[in-house]
Amino acid sequence: MLAASTVRYPKLSAEEILRGRPEVILDASYAAEPATALATWRTLADVPAVASGRVRVLKEPYFLAPSPRVAEALAELEAALAP
């Protein structure tokens, strides 16, 4: 979905998310609280990730800034991607 992007950190519109139809969404937004982020995603009920409840909000600091806690980040990513 983002392979052709020329921007380092692209911002996706709702239309792009609907077109891409992701099966999993990992939201590592710094600003939103998990409950608020999930409520926002629920507005896109036609997206498979939303319909199946596979939207994961990643709020740990090691997702938001560089950190030596790679092992913890990988373990959490693995759990977030598990069916």
Side-chain angles (χ1 to χ4, degrees), residues 8 10-11 14 16 19 21-22 33 37 49 55 59 63 66 71 83:
R8 188 170 183 178
K11 294 186 182 210
E16 289 171 304
R19 239 186 336 271
R21 302 189 51 77
E33 289 301 315
V55 176
K59 291 297 291 183
F63 287 117

Side-chain angles (χ1 to χ4, degrees), residues 42-69:
R42 284 189 202 104
T43 64
L44 299 176
D46 291 338
V47 174
V50 177
S52 65
R54 297 198 65 204
V55 176
R56 308 291 190 259
V57 179
L58 308 173
K59 291 297 291 183
E60 294 298 331
Y62 46 78
F63 287 117
L64 306 175
S67 167
R69 297 175 60 192

Side-chain angles (χ1 to χ4, degrees), residues 32-41:
E33 289 301 315
T36 304
L38 290 173
T40 301
W41 284 113

Side-chain angles (χ1 to χ4, degrees), residues 7-29:
V7 179
R8 188 170 183 178
Y9 299 105
K11 294 186 182 210
L12 300 174
S13 68
E15 291 80 12
E16 289 171 304
I17 301 288
L18 288 165
R19 239 186 336 271
R21 302 189 51 77
E23 294 180 23
V24 177
I25 294 172
L26 302 176
D27 184 343
S29 172

